[in-house]
Amino acid sequence: ETQAFPSKFCPITSTIFSSHHIYSSEFNRLRHGVPASKRAACFLVPSLGKVVKKNANFATCRNHLHVSRRVICDDDAIPQQSTMYTLSDTSHPPPDPSLLRSTVQRHLSHLPTYLNSRPVAAHTAEAYTRLVDRLNSISPHWKEGGVVLDSGCGTGRSSHILGKMYPDKIVVGVDRSENRLQRSKQYRDGQNVDNEFGEEAWIGGSDHFNFPPRPPSSNVFLVRADLADLYRLASADDVRLHAHYMLYPNPYPKPRRYKHRWHCHPSFPLLLSLGGTKIVVRSNWKGYLQQFSTCVEFAAEEWKGEGNRASPYLHSAKGGPRRILTDDKFEAMTNFEKKFVDSGEPIYELELKWN
């Protein structure tokens, strides 16, 4: 029973596979059509020098897997050293470049159809209107590079860090989850940031989400809205950002869901249209960022006519992502980032600079 299974057998039970988030299309392929009796757990844990035998109970398998956080099997496609959060191009093959190009080309050419066929969500339209009214009263020229956008801000941790990084700008954090935004209280309490903007505001698309504003201390606004719809409204309003941060967006790692990734979404041209001196995207999946930069290159080549909003980022897109050094001085900007750093997971950044 210490002998490795042939590659047609999966070495991990489906229960452990799902509970520890070991995303692997290869594992799914191997499991397909294999009787449950042959999908028993039998794998070597090198750091412990033990073998979890076939038909071992779930608790035994789970404990060994949790301690080692790595699995060795006879399939070379599976990374031999990783954390429970690791995503790679081996386990999650990227779309073919020709497919990425055709997807970007289609979204560019069919953008008017997308704008006319899909209505903006009511709560996002209301939230955007209230945000514009508030920003107009604070800084009349905010549309001309006066805003740093934090897309998918989650609990607001990154938005408040950006507020300190850009004290002379307005930081707008956007997330679709009311529950996550309500948890931002732990990051804004006790702040004492001096700036010219006054109060922090909560802006949502319904009265129950319109929390009382905080005392004058921050240049951060948190908005509950759908990002794709917000991009549409801001682009139609000729908003030009100072900077745009997308920190750990949902990578939708399953190959069949690649269209849900931002660089393959119909709103990708709108995202680029908002501009900014830089667009910063972070992920623990380097391949995701490489796909993003590749799509920026394709957009720069395929964008027809004047107003090509992708070409200014072409030079830095060709440079691709880089790994971030997480030393003792490193400050995690999001809860995801802190979790990755604490577990030893490498993180990467794609910085697209306007040139």
Side-chain angles (χ1 to χ4, degrees):
E1 291 182 326
T2 62
Q3 184 178 0
F5 281 120
S7 60
K8 64 179 180 179
F9 295 145
C10 174
I12 298 181
T13 64
S14 58
T15 305
I16 298 175
F17 172 82
S18 60
S19 67
H20 283 270
H21 309 290
I22 302 179
Y23 302 103
S24 173
S25 59
E26 189 67 15
F27 276 2
N28 282 328
R29 180 183 67 78
L30 296 176
R31 289 173 55 239
H32 182 69
V34 177
S37 61
K38 294 186 178 181
R39 282 191 254 130
C42 183
F43 56 91
L44 178 65
V45 182
S47 62
L48 300 179
K50 297 179 180 179
V51 172
V52 180
K53 295 187 177 182
K54 191 165 68 174
N55 298 325
N57 62 47
F58 172 73
T60 301
C61 299
R62 179 185 59 193
N63 291 339
H64 284 305
L65 190 59
H66 177 72
V67 171
S68 69
R69 284 186 177 174
R70 61 177 180 172
V71 177
I72 299 297
C73 68
D74 64 339
D75 191 335
D76 294 335
I78 307 301
Q80 295 206 1
Q81 203 166 19
S82 63
T83 74
M84 61 192 299
Y85 308 111
T86 298
L87 298 171
S88 71
D89 284 356
T90 302
S91 59
H92 301 81
D96 187 85
S98 61
L99 180 59
L100 291 178
R101 180 184 286 274
S102 63
T103 300
V104 171
Q105 188 179 35
R106 181 173 65 253
H107 292 329
L108 286 169
S109 60
H110 293 176
L111 184 59
T113 303
Y114 169 71
L115 296 176
N116 294 328
S117 62
R118 185 178 182 277
V120 174
H123 77 279
T124 300
E126 182 182 348
Y128 181 76
T129 299
R130 295 167 64 182
L131 175 66
V132 169
D133 291 342
R134 184 68 64 87
L135 298 188
N136 283 337
S137 66
I138 295 174
S139 177
H141 303 292
W142 64 271
K143 295 181 181 180
E144 303 168 10
V147 169
V148 174
L149 181 61
D150 184 14
S151 289
C153 66
T155 61
R157 174 175 179 157
S158 54
S159 300
H160 287 283
I161 292 176
L162 290 172
K164 297 176 183 178
M165 291 171 57
Y166 298 94
D168 59 338
K169 302 295 181 182
I170 299 172
V171 175
V172 177
V174 183
D175 200 274
R176 64 183 177 184
S177 170
E178 177 179 337
N179 180 57
R180 285 193 291 265
L181 288 170
Q182 285 178 329
R183 290 162 54 196
S184 110
K185 183 177 184 297
Q186 61 183 305
Y187 304 113
R188 71 181 191 268
D189 278 356
Q191 289 194 20
N192 186 19
V193 181
D194 296 326
N195 59 60
E196 58 187 285
F197 297 110
E199 64 189 24
E200 174 198 77
W202 292 74
I203 297 176
S206 57
D207 291 338
H208 75 276
F209 191 65
N210 186 24
F211 293 90
R214 303 291 301 171
S217 64
S218 177
N219 55 334
V220 178
F221 289 77
L222 299 179
V223 180
R224 175 178 174 260
D226 178 85
L227 273 172
D229 286 345
L230 189 94
Y231 294 160
R232 293 176 60 183
L233 295 170
S235 181
D237 220 7
D238 292 325
V239 173
R240 295 294 177 261
L241 301 174
H242 176 74
H244 191 175
Y245 285 78
M246 306 183 73
L247 304 177
Y248 304 92
N250 189 339
Y252 293 99
K254 295 182 179 179
R256 67 177 180 271
R257 304 194 71 187
Y258 78 95
K259 291 183 180 180
H260 293 269
R261 301 167 192 169
W262 279 117
H263 45 274
C264 294
H265 193 273
S267 64
F268 185 58
L270 301 175
L271 185 158
L272 296 175
S273 295
L274 294 177
T277 57
K278 61 181 179 180
I279 300 175
V280 179
V281 191
R282 286 188 183 179
S283 178
N284 67 314
W285 183 12
K286 185 178 181 180
Y288 178 90
L289 301 182
Q290 290 173 331
Q291 295 171 41
F292 197 106
S293 62
T294 298
C295 287
V296 173
E297 294 183 51
F298 290 156
E301 297 171 6
E302 301 292 342
W303 204 308
K304 307 299 182 183
E306 298 181 359
N308 187 326
R309 303 294 293 181
S311 59
Y313 300 111
L314 181 59
H315 178 73
S316 52
K318 291 181 177 180
R322 64 179 179 86
R323 183 171 176 174
I324 298 177
L325 177 63
T326 54
D327 55 14
D328 294 338
K329 298 180 180 179
F330 179 79
E331 180 183 13
M333 294 189 68
T334 73
N335 293 341
F336 277 114
E337 192 164 80
K338 185 178 188 307
K339 179 173 64 176
F340 293 150
V341 172
D342 290 346
S343 67
E345 176 78 0
I347 55 177
Y348 303 90
E349 178 181 277
L350 174 66
E351 185 176 13
L352 302 172
K353 295 182 179 180
W354 181 278
N355 187 2

